[in-house]
Amino acid sequence: MDITTKNIQTPPPPPQPTVAERKRNARGATRPGDRVFLGLARGSGIFLLVIMAAIAVFLTWRAAVAISKDEGNFLTTFEWNTAGTEPVFGIAVLAYGTIISSIIAMVIAVPVAVAIALFLTHYAPRKLSGPIAYVIDLLAAVPSIVYGLWGALILVPHMDGLFGWLNDYFSWTGIFDWEGGAPRSMLTVGILLAIMILPIITNVSREVFKQVPQMHEEAALALGATRWEVIRMAVLPFGRSGVISASMLGLGRALGETMAVATVLSPDFLIHGSLLNPGGGTFAQNIASKFGEADEFGRDALIASGLVLFVITLLVNGAARAIIARRKEYSGANA
Amino acid sequence: MSTLVQHPSSLQGARLPKWSPWAIAVGSVAVSIGLCVATGIESKIQWGLIAALLFVFGTYFIAAGVEGKRQAKDRIATSMVWVAFIIAVVPLASLVWETVKRGSKVLDGYFLSHSMGVVSDTEPGGGIYAAIIGTLEQVGIATLIAVPIGVLTAIYLVEYGRGHLARAVTFFVDVMTGIPSIVAGLFILSLLLIFDMSFSGFAGALALAILMMPVVVRSTEEMLKLVPNELREASLALGVPKWRTILKVVLPTALGGITTGVMLAVARIAGETAPVLLLVFGNPFINNNPFEGAQASLPLYIYQQYANSAGSEAAYDRAWAAALTLIAFVMILNLAARGIARWKSPKTGR
């Protein structure tokens, strides 16, 4: 007994890690390779933040240079004249045109896209819906310039009939008054934008409708609901926020779309009451079509209008993200 | 109403026979043709609209009479959904059809292997060689810049990211996804103005990289999240450092999905016109150096052929042919990406 206790030496307690060491261990970055790799990964993340900040800073800087020399009011002037010693330019017409064309696009695209999404998830024969969804997915990837070319050369000539009809029966409303001329107006732009954002809204809405819990639908069916009532009572309430955020994503696209508007619209710097008469402009279209002839100051002025577009799209996208985030919080309902 | 099947049980209401929608459709088309011939409406589109309206209302009233209001509403919803689908298919199908039909007119080996050079915009001839070179170089440079940064950022978010920085990066990646392409172009343009530089393919590539990064981050993030934690834990338990675990275990597992995401992102930026218009400017001659002087680009070529030609048929033909080339390029990338996604997708039930 005696010997054994003497011979067994209790090993010295391991050195207690200091607070700093313990912290480092907990974060996992102890080896040099790990530290380098973490630095690279974190650096890339920070680099993205720096780019975003740089976009905001540099656009604001150039915009400030331009606006300080603007002889008119930047927000309310109906003119874009950046050449010469007394530049006068304002975004009133552009803001109006951007908002109007996007509203038209949303009014047309959202109901149709939701209907197509419902068609694919609830109405179409199973064999048909897979391939159609695939094709719509591919259509979302068609470049906007191709939509623009198609809009300018195919859609515009086909709008004559619709414009004439609207003018015949609805010119008393004021907004459907047509004085003739090529139908390169806000309505055509809105319709083309609607066609462009249709695939995106459809795709996202379809994903959301597919996630509707089977149980909700079966419960409704078991209570004797018709297919439409199932959709009204189970599918749409579940998918509402998803559809809203899908629409916001589409709206973001429509607001910033450049080439499709630049090819179709015949612009001027007036606000037209009628949607059928050519004229007006949008932020992105104005930048693309004025850029070629702009001198350095003119480019700064265009950057100023681009900054406004940037802020608007940030707000729209932020709202969409907020809705999605809120939906995530409440999605415990489908667990 | 003699066609109705009378059920003896009161639990099941009266139903219209299965062929009734077709019968109503034929009936409404016939009535609309009769109406239009009688009143002298000539537009075929109006014939179609009247027939569609007759069909919807006919279905509603017949169904309401026989089956009850709720069933009638259901039938209306069904026909509305079908109508919406058909309405949407018409322009999208027309887009594809017209591009293929008009684009194949001048698209041949000569068109692909020659540039515009001194061919004026209004006369036939010329081709898109310079534009293809420009697009490939610009997109290539943008990919080289955006992919490493995007993948590393995604690794940071998935493998390391906790706390304020990760949350901020996630939020701003979302925000960046929504930046209009022309704003990205304006940002690089403001840099060019400040540093007094001129147009080049590289400037365009920078703007395209800004547009590409968030897409790469998003898709890579999704893919890394799919890698099972057991794989990471097994590797770490063997004493492999974290960075080697990520490089040798996590990334190879997710490689198929990451490749898919990158290819979809490339397909997206290959068609961007606005930043290229502001930064690369277009060039009818071949310029193989992306770092100096204006270059051509495929989407920009389409726009310039359309906008500068004053309605010349030859230029429109070239624009359509270039559009067909661009669509083919984008579609091949998309199909290949989806193919890889399916081929490399995690096999379940092993």
Side-chain angles (χ1 to χ4, degrees):
Chain A
M1 271 309 262
D2 229 322
I3 302 162
T4 48
T5 42
K6 249 184 194 170
N7 282 355
I8 291 177
Q9 287 181 340
T10 47
Q16 284 293 312
T18 63
V19 176
E21 269 175 346
R22 221 184 290 158
K23 241 185 193 168
R24 220 170 47 209
N25 282 342
R27 285 167 75 186
T30 49
R31 290 175 251 212
D34 270 339
R35 249 170 284 158
V36 170
F37 195 74
L38 172 59
L40 274 178
R42 190 188 280 158
S44 312
I46 293 173
F47 182 67
L48 278 183
L49 296 185
V50 170
I51 290 181
M52 278 305 292
I55 292 178
V57 167
F58 282 103
L59 288 186
T60 316
W61 177 11
R62 302 308 294 194
V65 170
I67 294 174
S68 65
K69 288 186 195 147
D70 189 358
E71 296 287 323
N73 186 321
F74 182 61
L75 294 179
T76 56
T77 307
F78 280 34
E79 213 179 326
W80 196 274
N81 186 3
T82 54
T85 48
E86 287 192 356
V88 178
F89 56 93
I91 57 165
V93 173
L94 305 179
Y96 172 80
T98 305
I99 291 168
I100 283 291
S101 59
S102 301
I103 289 178
I104 297 172
M106 298 304 285
V107 166
I108 299 171
V110 171
V112 176
V114 169
I116 298 176
L118 286 174
F119 175 79
L120 292 176
T121 51
H122 289 80
Y123 284 92
R126 196 52 62 83
K127 269 189 197 144
L128 211 63
S129 75
I132 293 176
Y134 192 79
V135 169
I136 290 184
D137 233 22
L138 285 182
L139 281 171
V142 171
S144 63
I145 181 66
V146 179
Y147 279 102
L149 188 67
W150 177 82
L153 296 181
I154 310 285
L155 183 64
V156 165
H158 280 93
M159 294 304 286
D160 275 329
L162 175 67
F163 275 34
W165 185 78
L166 284 174
N167 186 46
D168 284 349
Y169 296 99
F170 295 99
S171 63
W172 51 270
T173 56
I175 58 171
F176 291 127
D177 189 29
W178 191 32
E179 291 162 6
R184 295 175 171 277
S185 72
M186 277 299 161
L187 183 64
T188 314
V189 169
I191 291 175
L192 181 61
L193 288 177
I195 296 171
M196 287 185 62
I197 60 178
L198 198 64
I200 310 158
I201 305 182
T202 303
N203 276 344
V204 181
S205 306
R206 187 177 56 93
E207 290 300 320
V208 176
F209 291 154
K210 257 173 38 188
Q211 288 168 11
V212 174
Q214 199 79 41
M215 290 294 187
H216 291 194
E217 292 182 37
E218 283 167 7
L221 281 173
L223 290 172
T226 61
R227 183 151 53 173
W228 171 240
E229 284 161 349
V230 170
I231 288 171
R232 283 253 341 257
M233 293 189 299
V235 179
L236 290 183
F238 181 88
R240 186 187 295 135
S241 59
V243 170
I244 292 175
S245 64
S247 315
M248 299 287 240
L249 291 181
L251 177 61
R253 276 268 173 111
L255 287 171
E257 179 46 46
T258 314
M259 303 323 289
V261 185
T263 50
V264 166
L265 191 69
S266 79
D268 64 15
F269 255 83
L270 289 171
I271 288 181
H272 298 268
S274 165
L275 300 175
L276 303 189
N277 290 324
T282 72
F283 285 112
Q285 169 271 328
N286 184 54
I287 295 168
S289 30
K290 287 278 197 308
F291 179 76
E293 65 214 32
D295 54 2
E296 191 173 326
F297 178 77
R299 289 179 185 167
D300 279 341
L302 292 177
I303 288 175
S305 73
L307 179 67
V308 180
L309 175 64
F310 180 57
V311 172
I312 293 176
T313 48
L314 280 196
L315 292 178
V316 168
N317 278 306
R321 302 295 162 194
I323 293 169
I324 293 174
R326 218 179 53 184
R327 176 160 179 274
K328 266 185 195 150
E329 265 170 47
Y330 292 131
S331 64
N334 61 3
Chain B
M1 298 296 145
S2 56
T3 56
L4 294 176
V5 187
Q6 291 296 331
H7 289 278
S9 144
S10 60
L11 278 175
Q12 188 154 19
R15 299 282 294 176
L16 284 172
K18 268 207 161 152
W19 45 263
S20 59
W22 302 104
I24 298 172
V26 170
S28 53
V29 168
V31 172
S32 111
I33 290 176
L35 260 178
C36 292
V37 170
T39 53
I41 298 173
E42 281 182 6
S43 160
K44 293 282 189 304
I45 297 172
Q46 293 193 18
W47 291 26
L49 283 177
I50 292 173
L53 279 179
L54 278 174
F55 175 75
V56 169
F57 284 107
T59 310
Y60 182 79
F61 285 116
I62 293 174
V66 179
E67 298 177 330
K69 262 208 165 134
R70 287 175 50 225
Q71 301 293 337
K73 263 189 195 164
D74 183 47
R75 280 182 188 273
I76 274 220
T78 308
S79 45
M80 293 295 236
V81 164
W82 274 91
V83 165
F85 174 69
I86 291 165
I87 287 179
V89 160
V90 170
L92 295 174
S94 153
L95 174 86
V96 175
W97 167 246
E98 294 287 346
T99 312
V100 172
K101 192 181 87 183
R102 299 182 180 219
S104 50
K105 237 191 265 177
V106 293
L107 185 62
D108 52 20
Y110 180 88
F111 186 72
L112 291 175
S113 60
H114 288 73
S115 303
M116 289 312 289
V118 291
V119 178
S120 110
D121 278 333
T122 49
E123 59 189 55
I128 53 172
Y129 178 74
I132 293 176
I133 294 290
T135 289
L136 288 181
E137 285 182 351
Q138 290 145 26
V139 170
I141 295 173
T143 311
L144 285 182
I145 298 172
V147 168
I149 296 177
V151 171
L152 277 170
T153 306
I155 288 176
Y156 173 70
L157 290 178
V158 176
E159 306 288 333
Y160 296 99
R162 248 160 248 107
H164 291 299
L165 181 62
R167 236 173 293 147
V169 172
T170 310
F171 177 76
F172 279 107
V173 165
D174 274 344
V175 170
M176 242 175 135
T177 320
I179 292 183
S181 57
I182 196 145
V183 171
L186 285 176
F187 164 58
I188 302 293
L189 178 70
S190 71
L191 294 183
L192 291 189
L193 287 174
I194 288 166
F195 297 110
D196 206 20
M197 288 187 290
S198 181
F199 308 108
S200 69
F202 183 67
L206 287 180
L208 294 180
I210 291 180
L211 295 172
M212 191 175 174
M213 270 180 229
V215 185
V216 174
V217 173
R218 262 294 100 79
S219 56
T220 308
E221 217 187 329
E222 295 302 320
M223 287 305 133
L224 292 181
K225 277 182 190 158
L226 289 181
V227 175
N229 250 336
E230 286 83 353
L231 288 183
R232 295 190 183 91
E233 284 158 7
S235 167
L236 290 173
L238 290 171
V240 180
K242 189 166 181 176
W243 67 279
R244 281 185 68 87
T245 303
I246 293 171
L247 283 185
K248 298 277 176 184
V249 176
V250 178
L251 278 185
T253 312
L255 195 61
I258 295 174
T259 317
T260 305
V262 168
M263 286 170 88
L264 291 178
V266 168
R268 193 193 141 186
I269 61 164
E272 285 294 353
T273 319
V276 178
L277 172 71
L278 301 187
L279 300 167
V280 184
F281 212 69
N283 186 348
F285 297 97
I286 301 170
N287 174 10
N288 285 332
N289 182 0
F291 296 99
E292 206 178 329
Q295 264 193 318
S297 139
L298 208 44
L300 184 56
Y301 179 91
I302 302 173
Y303 178 62
Q304 289 177 334
Q305 287 300 320
Y306 167 75
N308 301 344
S309 59
S312 131
E313 275 305 314
Y316 286 169
D317 284 346
R318 280 195 293 268
W320 283 112
L324 181 58
T325 316
L326 185 61
I327 285 196
F329 178 65
V330 169
M331 286 302 144
I332 288 170
L333 269 178
N334 262 278
L335 291 174
R338 277 154 221 275
I340 289 177
R342 189 168 291 177
W343 171 51
K344 280 280 186 183
S345 67
K347 320 264 183 302
T348 48
R350 207 182 333 169

